[in-house]
Amino acid sequence: MRTFFLLFALFFLTTNSALKAQAEISNTQKLESLCKIWGFLKYYHPQVAKGKFDWDREFINILPQVEASNSKEALSKVYLDWINSLGKVPICVSCSKPSDKEYFDKNFDLSWIDDSRFTPALSNQLRYIENNRVQGKQYYVEPVHKKVGNIALKNEPEYPDFDWSDGEIRLLIAFKYWNIVEYFFPYKYQTDIPWDVVLEKGIAEMETVQSQADFYNAFSRIVISVNDAHAGFYPPDNTFRWSPHIIKYVEGKMIVTGNRNDSLAQFSPLKKGDIIEYVDGKTVAEIMKEKEPYVHGSNQASKYRNLSYYVLSAVNSDKKAQVIFNRDGVEQEALVPRYGRKYFKKKNKNETYKTLVNNIGYLNLGVLKRDEVPGTMEAISATKGLIIDIRNYPKGTFYALANHLSSVTKPFYRVTRPDLEYPGKFYFGEEGTCGGLNRKWFYSNKVVLLVNEMTQSHAEFTTMALQTGDNVITIGSQTAGADGNVSSLKLAGGMKTSISGIGIFYPDGTETQRKGVKIDIQVKPTLEGIIEGKDEVLEKAIEILSE
C-alpha cells in the first residue's frame, strides 16, 4: 500500500509539473501576442481607432504586465482587463451585412485570435471586436487619395529624441511597423519568410541590440523581409556618397555600364566596360555578401541592382574608393571619387526621340514629357517601326501614348485596395483601361518596348498600359517587380521607409509584384557586349523591326 501511494504521489507531481509547463509561455510568445493585440485594437476597436487614447503610452504601460504574466490564464486576464478599460464596443449593424466588395482573400488572416495560448474568453472578446469594428474615418490611417486607395499614416508621434537604447521604444517602433505591414501591405502573402516568423525573429533581435548600428541592422532586416523594392530603410544619419559611375551585375561580375554624371566622371579613371574586382581591400563578392542582408528588392534582379549601388559608394565617408579593376584582361588600380546626392540632381542630357538605322523610331520615356507626346508621335509617324525605351522612370505619358498605339480602348490592370473598414482585407477596384481616345491618327507599325531591372513601379505600370497596343511586343529582362502606389512611412527619430500600398495585377489576374511585367522575348546584356560598347537589348529590337 505504501508503494502504491508513493507511485501515485510521483504520478501526480509529474503530471502537475507537465501541466504547469504547458500553461507557461515564453517571453517571446508574450511579446508576439502583445504586438498582435495592440495592433488589432489600434485599427479595430472603435474607441482606440477614433484616437481616444494615447496608444503608444498604452503600449508602454501594459508591457510590464504582459512580461510579468506566467501563464496563459494570467496573460489573458491582463488583456481582458485592458480591453474592458477601453470602453464599450457598440453593436455594428453594418458590419454584419453582406459586402458587395470583391475581396482578395490571400492577404487576410486573423486566425491568431483563436490561439491556444489565449483563453476562450479572450478569443471571444477579440472576435466580438472584429465583428463590431470601427467604421468611418480612423485616427491613425487614411487613404492618400480616394481613387487610389493606398494609406497614409497620421497622428503618429515622430519621437525626434528617439533613443535606441530604450528597449521599450525599440519594441514599440518595431511592432508599429509590423502591424502597418500586417494590415495595409497588399503583398504580405508573397514574403519569403512568413510574416509571423518575421515578428518572432525581430523580437529576438530587438532584445539583443547593443548599439545604434545593431538597432538599425535589426530594423532593416525586418523591412527587407517585406521583399518589396519600394521598401528601403533610411536612417536619419545615413549620408550616402556615390561614385559618378553606373555599374551593373552581369554574368556574375560588376561592370561599369555608364555614368550618373558625365561631368564628374571626367575626374575618375574608370570607363565603360571596366570590371570591378576589389574596392577598399575587399572583393566584390565579399562586399555583396556583407551588404545583401540589408538591401531591399522584390526579386533577385532588383536586389542585384540595389547591391550595385553599394560597391563603389559608401555611407558617411568622404574618402575616395580604392579600386582594382580589370580592363582588357589587365588589372589596374585607381582612386575613384565619391560625391553627395546633390551632385547628381542634374542628369545627363538625353534625346527625347530620334530616328535610328533602317528608319526606326526611338522614344526615351525617361525624358519624354506628357505635353510633348502629340508632337513627338507626329515626328516619328513615318518611321518603319518604333522602339519605346522604358529602362528608366517615365513622366506620366502612358495614357497619351496608348491613345496612339491602341485602336480601341482596352483594360490593362486590376487593382486591390485596403479596406479601412475591415483592416487587413483588400478588395478589387474597377478595371483600368487605356487607348483608343482623342487620337488624330494611329501608329499601326510594329512597336517594341524595352525593359529591365530599372523598370520599376510607374515604369512597370506604363509598360502594362503600352502592352495593350495593337502591334506591340516587349523585350528585355525581368523588371523590378514593385508595382502599386507607394505609402511613405515616417518612424521614430527621422527613420523612413515605405511600402507598395495597392496591389496591381494584369486583367487576367497575373501578378506583377515580385514577378515583374510580362516579357515576350528575353534579352540580357553580356560582359562581351558591354565591353564592346553595345546595347544588346536595343540591337535586338532593331533586328526585330528590320526584318
Side-chain angles (χ1 to χ4, degrees):
M1 182 65 71
R2 178 185 177 90
T3 302
F4 170 79
F5 279 116
L6 286 174
L7 289 172
F8 178 79
L10 180 62
F11 171 78
F12 176 80
L13 290 171
T14 303
T15 303
N16 188 51
S17 297
L19 290 172
K20 183 179 179 181
Q22 187 176 8
E24 290 180 351
I25 57 178
S26 70
N27 193 57
T28 296
Q29 290 171 332
K30 287 184 282 188
L31 292 176
E32 286 178 44
S33 70
L34 174 58
C35 174
K36 292 180 178 181
I37 290 177
W38 179 80
F40 173 80
L41 295 175
K42 181 176 183 176
Y43 299 121
Y44 271 77
H45 195 292
Q47 311 302 332
V48 178
K50 292 294 184 182
K52 295 184 179 181
F53 295 88
D54 181 340
W55 203 235
D56 284 9
R57 176 50 53 187
E58 288 285 330
F59 174 88
I60 299 299
N61 291 341
I62 203 72
L63 177 60
Q65 298 178 53
V66 169
E67 292 187 310
S69 303
N70 56 12
S71 68
K72 82 171 187 179
E73 290 77 17
L75 180 62
S76 292
K77 185 177 185 306
V78 168
Y79 289 137
L80 283 168
D81 290 345
W82 187 30
I83 291 169
N84 290 333
S85 74
L86 300 176
K88 187 178 179 181
V89 178
I91 297 292
C92 173
V93 176
S94 63
C95 293
S96 60
K97 293 180 178 179
S99 175
D100 59 356
K101 294 174 180 174
E102 180 189 353
Y103 281 114
F104 179 76
D105 296 328
K106 291 183 180 180
N107 222 47
F108 182 72
D109 184 10
L110 287 179
S111 60
W112 60 266
I113 286 178
D114 304 308
D115 194 317
S116 61
R117 290 189 290 261
F118 297 158
T119 61
L122 175 58
S123 295
N124 291 338
Q125 183 67 9
L126 293 174
R127 287 296 180 191
Y128 175 81
I129 294 171
E130 177 194 358
N131 294 329
N132 297 280
R133 59 196 172 274
V134 68
Q135 300 292 286
K137 290 184 178 180
Q138 292 207 29
Y139 184 71
Y140 295 105
V141 290
E142 63 183 357
V144 173
H145 190 285
K146 288 184 179 179
K147 288 187 176 180
V148 177
N150 58 303
I151 61 106
L153 302 182
K154 59 178 183 174
N155 298 314
E156 290 286 2
E158 295 190 11
Y159 299 100
D161 300 321
F162 169 71
D163 180 4
W164 66 267
S165 65
D166 187 329
E168 293 178 341
I169 298 296
R170 282 203 310 268
L171 277 179
L172 171 65
I173 301 306
F175 287 1
K176 187 174 293 191
Y177 177 80
W178 189 89
N179 278 290
I180 291 168
V181 173
E182 171 76 359
Y183 292 107
F184 306 113
F185 180 53
Y187 304 116
K188 182 186 68 176
Y189 68 97
Q190 288 187 329
T191 57
D192 289 339
I193 304 173
W195 200 232
D196 280 355
V197 177
V198 173
L199 174 60
E200 180 184 351
K201 294 174 67 175
I203 289 170
E205 291 200 15
M206 285 295 164
E207 289 189 310
T208 58
V209 163
Q210 298 294 319
S211 67
Q212 185 180 66
D214 283 350
F215 170 72
Y216 285 160
N217 287 341
F219 198 91
S220 180
R221 281 191 286 270
I222 296 175
V223 174
I224 300 309
S225 298
V226 172
N227 301 126
D228 183 12
H230 279 148
F233 173 59
Y234 310 102
D237 55 353
N238 188 337
T239 305
F240 213 68
R241 298 184 66 83
W242 305 74
S243 83
H245 305 291
I246 299 170
I247 63 174
K248 183 180 175 74
Y249 190 72
V250 178
E251 297 179 344
K253 305 285 185 180
M254 285 290 182
I255 184 171
V256 179
T257 60
N259 300 323
R260 287 193 180 86
N261 184 302
D262 287 336
S263 299
L264 294 177
Q266 297 179 61
F267 302 102
S268 168
L270 294 180
K271 67 178 185 179
K272 186 175 180 179
D274 290 342
I275 298 173
I276 311 301
E277 295 186 343
Y278 292 83
V279 179
D280 296 333
K282 295 181 180 179
T283 66
V284 168
E286 289 172 335
I287 296 171
M288 292 176 66
K289 184 177 180 180
E290 176 186 315
K291 299 294 184 182
E292 189 167 15
Y294 312 105
V295 173
H296 62 291
S298 297
N299 51 41
Q300 204 59 52
S302 59
K303 289 208 74 164
Y304 281 143
R305 179 201 66 193
N306 292 338
L307 270 169
S308 72
Y309 300 150
Y310 287 88
V311 173
L312 290 178
S313 305
V315 176
N316 302 331
S317 175
D318 294 328
K319 292 182 179 180
K320 293 182 178 180
Q322 294 180 316
V323 179
I324 296 177
F325 62 96
N326 187 304
R327 179 183 295 169
D328 299 327
V330 179
E331 279 194 352
Q332 301 185 43
E333 293 187 30
L335 291 176
V336 178
R338 294 165 171 146
Y339 303 91
R341 185 179 293 274
K342 66 180 181 179
Y343 291 96
F344 299 101
K345 289 182 178 179
K346 186 177 180 180
K347 297 183 179 180
N348 298 330
K349 291 184 178 180
N350 293 302
E351 294 176 283
T352 302
Y353 70 94
K354 56 188 174 182
T355 303
L356 306 177
V357 65
N358 296 335
N359 192 31
I360 294 170
Y362 171 89
L363 296 184
N364 184 341
L365 291 203
V367 180
L368 181 67
K369 296 178 182 177
R370 191 180 310 171
D371 59 0
E372 296 173 337
V373 171
T376 300
M377 291 303 293
E378 193 72 41
I380 55 89
S381 60
T383 54
K384 177 182 178 181
L386 178 61
I387 296 170
I388 301 180
D389 199 336
I390 322 177
R391 297 173 297 177
N392 46 49
Y393 199 82
K395 300 181 180 297
T397 53
F398 64 91
Y399 279 122
L401 282 170
N403 287 333
H404 288 288
L405 304 182
S406 300
S407 59
V408 295
T409 301
K410 298 178 183 178
F412 73 100
Y413 76 94
R414 295 197 76 191
V415 59
T416 59
R417 298 188 175 100
D419 186 352
L420 298 190
E421 294 189 339
Y422 211 141
K425 286 199 172 188
F426 284 75
Y427 64 93
F428 281 103
E430 68 286 349
E431 199 171 55
T433 61
C434 66
L437 300 174
N438 302 321
R439 58 182 181 84
K440 294 181 179 179
W441 61 277
F442 168 66
Y443 190 89
S444 58
N445 292 338
K446 183 171 284 187
V447 178
V448 177
L449 310 179
L450 310 185
V451 299
N452 66 3
E453 73 282 353
M454 300 302 295
T455 308
Q456 175 171 315
S457 193
H458 180 64
E460 292 175 293
F461 197 67
T462 296
T463 304
M464 294 169 69
L466 301 188
Q467 285 175 332
T468 62
D470 293 7
N471 200 3
V472 173
I473 65 169
T474 306
I475 74 170
S477 55
Q478 186 180 35
T479 60
D483 218 342
N485 292 50
V486 176
S487 290
S488 299
L489 314 175
K490 290 185 178 180
L491 305 169
M495 297 185 299
K496 297 177 183 178
T497 183
S498 55
I499 53 173
S500 299
I502 56 176
I504 298 295
F505 303 77
Y506 278 96
D508 64 3
T510 301
E511 296 157 320
T512 58
Q513 184 74 6
R514 304 205 69 185
K515 294 180 179 179
V517 301
K518 295 178 179 179
I519 296 175
D520 299 299
I521 301 174
Q522 293 279 345
V523 184
K524 292 184 178 182
T526 64
L527 288 174
E528 181 181 357
I530 294 169
I531 292 170
E532 293 177 357
K534 296 179 180 180
D535 183 341
E536 291 157 293
V537 180
L538 178 62
E539 288 183 1
K540 182 64 175 178
I542 293 172
E543 176 189 326
I544 291 169
L545 294 175
S546 298
E547 292 173 350

